[in-house]
Amino acid sequence: IKKTIQLLTRTLLNSSSYTRFDNNSGKSLGKIRMNRLAQIASVMLAVMFMLGGSQGRTQQSLQVRIERWLEVKQVLGKVTREQGSSSHFARVGDRLRAVNDGITTGKNSSATLLVDTGIGTISLTENTQLKIQELAMAPDNGRITRLQVMSGRALLRIRRFNHRGSRLEIRTPAGLSGVRGTEFGLNIQPSGKTGLAVREGKVVSSAQGQAVAVLGGFQNFTIPGEAPSTPTPLTEDTRIQYRFQQVIERRVRKVRLVGKVDPVNSVSVEGTPQSTNREGVFITDFKLLPNSLKIQVEVTTPLGKREIHELAYR
């Protein structure tokens, strides 16, 4: 830029239009010099304006290029990373950057993801699927993170945000959970029913045009097609009430399990996830009745407390 200004100045001072004048008259010479100086000043201002505009565009481009990502920090068992139309086993250090990039955990598997800049961590238990919906920047440089969890269980530990524009949202088949700094867990059942438990902070649960604030120490659930339930105190109760129901079909005795748990909990019977109604009741399919029958039932809270029950039919 400096060399360009010097070249333009030299050209103007030595131009043919200037040397054609007879310098006997100091008045005329002074007039021409003033004209040339004005031209030089105009050129310098134009160059400075272009330089300033270039710097502004550079700063804007730097803001646009800020990268957003989720990084795999821990992997246990079979964990798959989906990127576009391809998939492969996830490894520590892998980063999810684009819309629809995702992580899927298999049976007896888990993964932990780090949200960029240390916003927080997301822990996924077995049979859980997570995908990116949006990773963006807010006008005030806050981070906007929108994720989708369609099945399984996720535990989030998110620090308080520094910018008003920051937000983190988790969409499930039943609705939306929005946070600004908290620790909470989600259970997603096969039916899409979602149990939510908040250890600390606040989560706003939204569905069917209604939003419910769930504070630390409370829990609620949302059934697809319905508004979120009214929050109740956090219980972390993994007990089960149950009974066996017997029928005879064509002289064949069959039995099924009817159980009841806390409505926010997830239930697995002999490794198969079950769906509960708004009261927490689930019913298994009928089975042929052997001489003795033992069934293993696993009950897990949204925050990860688990209990295995051995139920015997006599």
Side-chain angles (χ1 to χ4, degrees):
I1 298 298
K2 181 178 179 181
K3 290 182 178 180
T4 302
I5 294 175
Q6 290 175 345
L7 178 62
L8 290 171
T9 303
R10 193 179 301 116
T11 301
L12 287 170
L13 289 174
N14 295 324
S15 64
S16 58
S17 61
Y18 178 83
T19 56
R20 286 177 186 171
F21 284 85
D22 186 356
N23 57 357
N24 290 330
S25 172
K27 182 177 179 181
S28 299
L29 179 61
K31 182 178 180 181
I32 296 303
R33 285 177 178 168
M34 290 300 293
N35 289 340
R36 292 295 178 267
L37 290 175
Q39 293 177 14
I40 293 170
S42 298
V43 171
M44 293 177 66
L45 287 172
V47 172
M48 292 173 65
F49 176 79
M50 288 187 294
L51 178 61
S54 174
Q55 291 175 337
R57 286 191 296 272
T58 301
Q59 291 175 352
Q60 291 175 0
S61 63
L62 286 175
Q63 291 177 351
V64 171
R65 292 191 189 113
I66 292 178
E67 263 195 280
R68 299 293 322 282
W69 40 260
L70 301 180
E71 182 175 322
V72 179
K73 298 298 293 183
Q74 187 175 6
V75 171
L76 178 63
K78 183 180 179 181
V79 180
T80 305
R81 173 190 174 188
E82 290 83 28
Q83 186 175 16
S85 59
S86 64
S87 63
H88 59 79
F89 289 121
R91 297 174 297 180
V92 173
D94 283 351
R95 288 187 173 181
L96 313 179
R97 292 185 173 91
V99 173
N100 288 329
D101 281 3
I103 288 285
T104 300
T105 59
K107 186 175 178 59
N108 299 321
S109 304
S110 63
T112 300
L113 306 176
L114 174 68
V115 186
D116 59 6
T117 67
I119 290 175
T121 59
I122 304 172
S123 299
L124 309 176
T125 62
E126 66 176 353
N127 301 321
T128 300
Q129 182 183 35
L130 175 145
K131 285 189 176 184
I132 292 175
Q133 285 194 319
E134 182 182 14
L135 295 175
M137 296 294 298
D140 63 354
N141 288 326
R143 266 64 172 173
I144 299 173
T145 305
R146 293 187 172 96
L147 308 173
Q148 185 179 52
V149 180
M150 299 304 295
S151 62
R153 182 180 308 107
L155 178 62
L156 291 88
R157 296 179 177 89
I158 307 298
R159 66 166 172 78
R160 294 188 180 278
F161 297 143
N162 298 323
H163 299 84
R164 291 180 61 86
S166 294
R167 63 185 60 191
L168 188 148
E169 297 176 348
I170 303 290
R171 181 169 294 281
T172 72
L176 188 70
S177 298
V179 306
R180 286 189 57 85
T182 184
E183 180 177 349
F184 72 103
L186 293 168
N187 273 337
I188 298 95
Q189 299 180 5
S191 64
K193 178 186 175 184
T194 301
L196 166 69
V198 182
R199 193 187 303 277
E200 60 181 50
K202 181 176 76 171
V203 176
V204 177
S205 182
S206 304
Q208 302 300 308
Q210 297 188 41
V212 175
V214 185
L215 303 179
F218 284 81
Q219 62 185 31
N220 83 328
F221 62 86
T222 305
I223 296 174
E226 299 183 14
S229 69
T230 301
T232 59
L234 182 64
T235 63
E236 287 287 86
D237 185 359
T238 56
R239 293 175 297 176
I240 181 173
Q241 301 175 23
Y242 71 95
R243 61 187 173 87
F244 287 100
Q245 190 176 69
Q246 182 179 324
V247 298
I248 298 177
E249 293 181 354
R250 297 180 182 179
R251 299 183 180 181
V252 177
R253 290 195 304 165
K254 294 183 179 181
V255 67
R256 68 180 180 184
L257 173 66
V258 180
K260 183 178 181 180
V261 298
D262 189 307
V264 302
N265 290 347
S266 65
V267 181
S268 178
V269 178
E270 295 294 320
T272 302
Q274 306 292 311
S275 294
T276 65
N277 62 16
R278 61 173 43 257
E279 284 76 36
V281 175
F282 66 95
I283 303 174
T284 65
D285 294 332
F286 280 106
K287 287 187 175 183
L288 293 177
L289 183 62
N291 292 330
S292 64
L293 178 65
K294 287 187 177 181
I295 296 179
Q296 187 178 86
V297 179
E298 181 178 304
V299 181
T300 310
T301 72
L303 292 176
K305 181 182 177 182
R306 183 179 68 164
E307 184 174 356
I308 296 176
H309 303 270
E310 296 283 352
L311 309 183
Y313 176 80
R314 296 180 179 84

